[in-house]
Structure formats: structure tokens, C-alpha cells
Amino acid sequence: MPIVYKIDVLKALKDKGYSTYNLRKEKLLSEGMIQALRDKRAISWDNLEKLCKLLQCQPSDLIEYVEEEQKEDN
């Protein structure tokens, strides 16, 4: 996957005072979203926006493009 997380988002949220329990309880993030972050899967633009608001950062602080290596056909 060429778009990857630059940081451990859940750790960054915890450092800001947001435990996964609080995120779910206060309905800031869904369980599916939290699981996607654990699995380092892609998230929607809306969820990326929520993360930026909670962490007071820019999307480029969270994700980056990493070019995939080309596989040779032999």
C-alpha cells in the first residue's frame, strides 16, 4: 500500500489523553475506525479530518506516500 501512517496514531491519541475506551464512549471514533488504525488500514477523508482535529495536526503529519517497488516479471 503506497499510503502509510507516519506515526502510531492510537499512541498519539493516548498521549493527548484519548484512550480507546473514551474515544468509543464519547463517540469520537467508531470501533471499526479504531480497528482500522490498529491494523494500519486506510481510513476515509472524514475520519482523517477527525483525527487531525483531535490531534491538532495536518494530514501530512499522519500519512505519507511511499512508492512501492516494481516486481520484475521473470
Side-chain angles (χ1 to χ4, degrees):
M1 174 162 54
I3 302 291
V4 296
Y5 292 97
K6 294 167 74 172
I7 64 169
D8 181 338
V9 178
L10 291 175
K11 182 180 179 320
L13 286 165
K14 188 174 182 177
D15 291 346
K16 284 275 192 180
Y18 298 105
S19 69
T20 54
Y21 174 79
N22 293 107
L23 291 168
R24 286 190 304 268
K25 183 180 176 189
E26 296 174 25
K27 297 184 180 181
L28 299 171
L29 299 177
S30 69
E31 179 60 40
M33 165 70 171
I34 292 168
Q35 191 60 47
L37 292 171
R38 281 189 186 116
D39 296 340
K40 301 199 183 317
R41 290 187 317 222
I43 59 173
S44 71
W45 287 111
D46 288 340
N47 284 321
L48 184 59
E49 182 180 338
K50 286 179 190 177
L51 289 176
C52 289
K53 184 176 182 177
L54 292 171
L55 295 172
Q56 299 174 337
C57 67
Q58 294 296 313
S60 63
D61 296 328
L62 303 176
I63 58 174
E64 69 180 334
Y65 173 79
V66 177
E67 192 168 338
E68 293 184 88
E69 293 182 24
Q70 294 288 334
K71 292 182 180 179
E72 293 184 27
D73 294 326
N74 288 329

